[in-house]
Amino acid sequence: MTRPLTYGSYLRLPELLDLQSPRTGTHDELLFITIHQASELWIKLMLHELDEARRRIAADDLAPALKMMARVSRIQAQLIQSWEVLATMTPADYQRMRGGLGGSSGFQSDQYRRLEFVMGARDPRMVKVFDVEPELQDALRDELTRPSLYDEALRLLDRNGLPVPPERLERDWSTQLDPSPEVEAVWTQVYADTERWWDLYELAEKLVDLEYHFQIWRFGHLKTVERVIGFKRGTGGTAGVPYLAKVVEQRFFPELLNVRSSL
């Protein structure tokens, strides 16, 4: 006879709770592993939601997409809060376990990189980070062949009769384009007549929500790293805090932020 389904067997808790494997025997390593594993699970869910939101936008099914994007913003709030927990690790705590990390680093998170690609930050050079993991490289390259969430938003504007430049509708999706005054002008039309373009206006604000929370998440990462390791180089070879400071300045939807100045 088969065993009845229980809470633990449905969630596969024995396997899940066996995945935290500290290498150094220090007290705080379990905290470090738990925070990062939980973050990867939240990112997995964000990708699940944004993939479907992108598909819905492409199919002119906007209402469910807006709900999914709102959910992602709530997930981002959970990730932001997680830095508060990790920040309880002191520099002395971290130094006792840092040797066990080797060259591993959050810089090597393929899910995080794919999340950036889905949102619209496209830097094909980032694929090279995964040279020793060709299956991950293939998945990232595949993502670069698809329109991003923002690309699909612009294509939706075009289908609604707004004058999106043709070069933003069909192009090499792997490239990162500079902010476009023409695209900014289109968003200005939406914001200038919200009653007429309410659904598109709401889409714009959901995108801004995603960027807002993403940047706070990045800033929380920066300040946590600064608090715990100061200005040492990161374990993955990055410059550490200076690198993270540059990342905080990167924007996903520049036209949507610029439009606020032109209204």
Side-chain angles (χ1 to χ4, degrees):
M1 296 178 63
T2 59
R3 298 177 65 179
L5 187 66
T6 66
Y7 176 79
S9 61
Y10 174 70
L11 296 177
R12 298 181 63 184
L13 290 183
E15 298 97 321
L16 177 64
L17 298 178
D18 194 43
L19 294 176
Q20 295 74 49
S21 304
R23 299 164 59 90
T24 65
T26 59
H27 177 78
D28 290 271
E29 191 176 1
L30 182 60
L31 165 67
F32 190 86
I33 292 172
T34 301
I35 289 291
H36 287 84
Q37 286 188 345
S39 296
E40 289 292 333
L41 286 172
W42 283 125
I43 296 172
K44 179 179 181 178
L45 182 56
M46 285 198 290
L47 287 169
H48 174 72
E49 298 292 340
L50 292 179
D51 274 338
E52 182 63 11
R54 174 170 55 179
R55 189 186 73 79
R56 296 286 186 133
I57 292 170
D60 294 320
D61 190 12
L62 190 55
L66 296 177
K67 178 185 177 182
M68 293 162 192
M69 293 165 71
R71 178 177 290 167
V72 171
S73 292
R74 300 301 180 271
I75 295 169
Q76 290 173 307
Q78 295 292 320
L79 286 165
I80 292 164
Q81 181 60 32
S82 72
W83 295 127
E84 295 289 327
V85 183
L86 189 59
T88 64
M89 178 180 284
T90 68
D93 297 332
Y94 182 68
Q95 278 306 119
R96 282 191 283 270
M97 57 149 286
R98 187 177 187 181
L101 299 179
S104 65
S105 165
F107 187 74
Q108 300 157 348
S109 169
D110 65 290
Q111 286 202 123
Y112 174 82
R113 201 59 61 192
R114 183 166 171 251
L115 184 60
E116 286 190 325
F117 288 177
V118 170
M119 293 269 285
R122 303 257 163 134
D123 186 350
R125 296 174 300 176
M126 292 296 103
V127 176
K128 187 170 177 55
V129 173
F130 305 94
D131 276 347
V132 297
E133 299 170 292
E135 69 283 358
L136 299 181
Q137 283 191 318
D138 289 344
L140 290 170
R141 289 193 185 102
D142 179 66
E143 179 57 50
L144 288 174
T145 68
R146 305 173 60 192
S148 70
L149 181 72
Y150 189 56
D151 290 322
E152 289 295 2
L154 295 182
R155 296 169 97 179
L156 179 64
L157 296 181
D158 174 72
R159 292 195 297 276
N160 277 268
L162 289 160
V164 179
E167 63 270 17
R168 296 299 295 264
L169 302 173
E170 294 295 338
R171 61 185 184 83
D172 177 0
W173 302 116
S174 69
T175 58
Q176 183 74 44
L177 299 182
D178 292 329
S180 163
E182 292 82 7
V183 171
E184 183 182 333
V186 172
W187 285 120
T188 300
Q189 290 185 51
V190 172
Y191 276 85
D193 192 352
T194 57
E195 186 173 343
R196 177 181 179 185
W197 304 110
W198 183 262
D199 288 349
L200 300 179
Y201 167 62
E202 198 170 5
L203 172 61
E205 285 299 288
K206 288 293 186 291
L207 288 168
V208 171
D209 247 4
L210 291 177
E211 170 134 352
Y212 172 78
H213 286 97
F214 210 108
Q215 296 303 72
I216 294 176
W217 179 29
R218 284 171 161 174
F219 185 72
H221 186 194
L222 162 67
K223 300 308 288 186
T224 302
V225 170
E226 183 180 79
R227 175 173 176 163
V228 175
I229 72 169
F231 291 86
K232 295 177 183 176
R233 292 189 68 82
T235 49
T238 70
V241 167
Y243 167 76
L244 295 174
K246 290 181 180 178
V247 170
V248 169
E249 295 174 359
Q250 296 172 1
R251 298 191 296 174
F252 293 101
F253 319 125
E255 292 98 350
L256 280 172
L257 297 178
N258 293 344
V259 76
R260 281 146 167 76
S261 301
S262 62
L263 288 174

